[in-house]
Amino acid sequence: FEKAASILSSNSPMIALAKVDANDEKNKDLASEYDIKGFPTLKIIRDGGKTIQDYKGPRDAEGIVSYLKKQAGPASVEITSTEEGNALVDGDKIVIVGVFPEFAREKFTVFLTLAESLRSDYEFAHTLDAKLLPRGDSSVSGPIVRLFKPFDELVVDFENFNLDALEKFIEEATIPTVTVFNHDPKNHPFVIKFFNTPNAKAMLFVNFSSKPFGAFESKYQDIANEHKGKGICFLIGDVEASQGAFQFFGIKEDHVPVMVINDDKEKYVKPNVEPHHLESWLKEYKDGKVTPYVKSEPVPEVNNQPVKVVVADNFNDIVFKSGKNVLLEFYAPWCGHCKKLAPILDKIAASFANDADVIIAKIDATANDIVHEGFDVKGYPTLYFKSASGKLLQYSGKRSKDKITSFIKKNKEKTSQQSSIKEEL
């Protein structure tokens, strides 16, 4: 990033690269304004902040420089020769070209608006002559939008110049029938697009070098073709490239071959699946016959530390069914602020050790699903207090022993239960 910044500082016009520590308390509001949910997140800001787009280019210095130079230029470039057409449509990426009888009138203006809106996602060009393009009907004079892609049908034409219709066409046409998730960087933009789609997502994770892979690939492609345009997208992932997905969904390598379906609300997992299971299990999911899968660490065999360990599988028992006042920290193992808070929570828990009405607990929110409504966890650490009667409060004060202790004492309630879950744990 610094190398790219140095190179681009001498570009004309200059392209400024900047960075913000979104984990710093004084920058929290800014991070929230820009909807920062992971690191690093890169944004392209234009027109004094009027236009904000996600950066979707490479993450090496040369790639950043090349991508941002294109972003600083016109949203759509004119193709005036076959050499320019062949250089732009190289077969490895999505390119959208408008063919027009003249560069004027309303449809050309709509196309330029489209290009400006989606320029961080795709490359755009326009031409007066379809013969300069490497593929597709060369006799058309337009106006027409021609989309080139390196998968499925390689060329798709579209004639409706309603802006919403164009955006919908591009959104649907640029998702492969089956997205491939492996170590090939050419596939990475399509993987990102797959996970960003609002549709339900079906994912099959297999070992691409295994003998059964061919049977899985063929059957899965047939199923995806049958469901095209029906609200569900398909991805096939190589185990070697899918460790991040495994961690996110809470699946293990001994589940492989494994099929996962993730919709707006739940995820569903079919471990050790066979090719002939795929279609029937998908039908069971669509019929509402599959039980949602909840990611959880193992329930601790011994849970006798001052700060109790909560996982998804004992969340309900400790937080809700215990009838106690529970202060619960949602943390991430890599979070610096969580590490600073840990000894403070230990001291708070020790101070309430003889209070049978209060439990201090923590849950690794990256390793356990939070399936209960009411917990809005957008960053770490997040502290919630559940009173004995079930009232739920988020703690947003200073993370000090005195302030948190005072908050607990102010909001805790007497419990009616005689037994102590602390003793049971």
Side-chain angles (χ1 to χ4, degrees), residues 222-331:
D222 290 343
I223 293 170
N225 287 332
E226 291 175 13
H227 289 83
K228 195 168 185 177
K230 296 181 180 179
I232 185 166
C233 298
F234 292 81
L235 174 145
I236 187 166
D238 189 3
V239 172
E240 290 187 4
S242 306
Q243 294 308 306
F246 278 32
Q247 183 178 2
F248 180 80
F249 291 114
I251 54 180
K252 301 176 177 62
E253 288 203 30
D254 60 6
H255 289 162
V256 176
V258 57
M259 188 171 176
V260 179
I261 297 177
N262 187 211
D263 56 29
D264 285 340
K265 298 179 180 178
E266 309 283 0
K267 59 175 172 283
Y268 307 83
V269 176
K270 176 68 173 176
N272 308 120
V273 69
E274 298 289 343
H276 62 275
H277 293 156
L278 299 173
E279 192 166 10
S280 58
W281 189 71
L282 180 60
K283 184 179 186 304
E284 287 179 17
Y285 157 75
K286 295 179 72 175
D287 291 343
K289 297 178 179 178
V290 180
T291 303
Y293 175 82
V294 177
K295 177 175 67 173
S296 178
E297 293 179 293
V299 175
E301 292 183 11
V302 178
N303 205 354
N304 58 8
Q305 296 299 314
V307 178
K308 306 307 175 189
V309 175
V310 174
V311 298
D313 286 346
N314 70 2
F315 191 101
N316 205 38
D317 290 336
I318 295 179
V319 179
F320 289 102
K321 290 185 178 180
S322 67
K324 306 295 181 180
N325 300 280
V326 181
L327 180 79
L328 179 63
E329 177 204 16
F330 295 87
Y331 75 95

Side-chain angles (χ1 to χ4, degrees), residues 66-81:
S66 174
Y67 183 86
L68 289 180
K69 281 184 175 180
K70 290 179 181 177
Q71 292 296 308
S76 178
V77 298
E78 183 181 358
I79 296 175
T80 59
S81 68

Side-chain angles (χ1 to χ4, degrees), residues 133-188:
L133 304 177
R135 294 194 295 272
D137 184 359
S138 61
S139 65
V140 299
S141 59
I144 197 168
V145 172
R146 177 161 294 172
L147 188 147
F148 297 90
K149 54 183 177 175
F151 54 82
D152 299 342
E153 62 272 64
L154 300 180
V155 181
V156 187
D157 288 345
F158 194 71
E159 298 182 15
N160 186 342
F161 275 79
N162 174 275
L163 187 59
D164 289 340
L166 277 168
E167 289 179 347
K168 183 180 180 182
F169 157 70
I170 292 170
E171 176 64 31
E172 294 176 351
T174 53
I175 298 178
T177 304
V178 176
T179 299
V180 177
F181 187 6
N182 57 11
H183 285 305
D184 188 344
K186 293 177 183 177
N187 290 327
H188 291 177

Side-chain angles (χ1 to χ4, degrees), residues 80-146:
T80 59
S81 68
T82 54
E83 290 76 17
E84 290 175 350
N86 289 331
L88 184 65
V89 184
D90 60 8
D92 288 335
K93 61 181 182 292
I94 293 169
V95 180
I96 301 164
V97 181
V99 180
F100 298 92
E102 58 180 329
F103 296 147
R105 301 189 181 181
E106 183 182 355
K107 290 184 178 180
F108 182 64
T109 301
V110 169
F111 180 78
L112 293 182
T113 302
L114 175 76
E116 190 65 50
S117 172
L118 299 179
R119 63 181 300 167
S120 67
D121 296 278
Y122 312 105
E123 291 193 34
F124 286 84
H126 51 273
T127 185
L128 296 172
D129 189 352
K131 295 183 179 68
L132 305 180
L133 304 177
R135 294 194 295 272
D137 184 359
S138 61
S139 65
V140 299
S141 59
I144 197 168
V145 172
R146 177 161 294 172

Side-chain angles (χ1 to χ4, degrees), residues 21-34:
D21 181 0
N23 214 28
D24 191 316
E25 199 64 38
K26 62 178 178 286
N27 295 325
K28 291 289 187 182
D29 289 344
L30 185 66
S32 177
E33 178 185 347
Y34 282 83

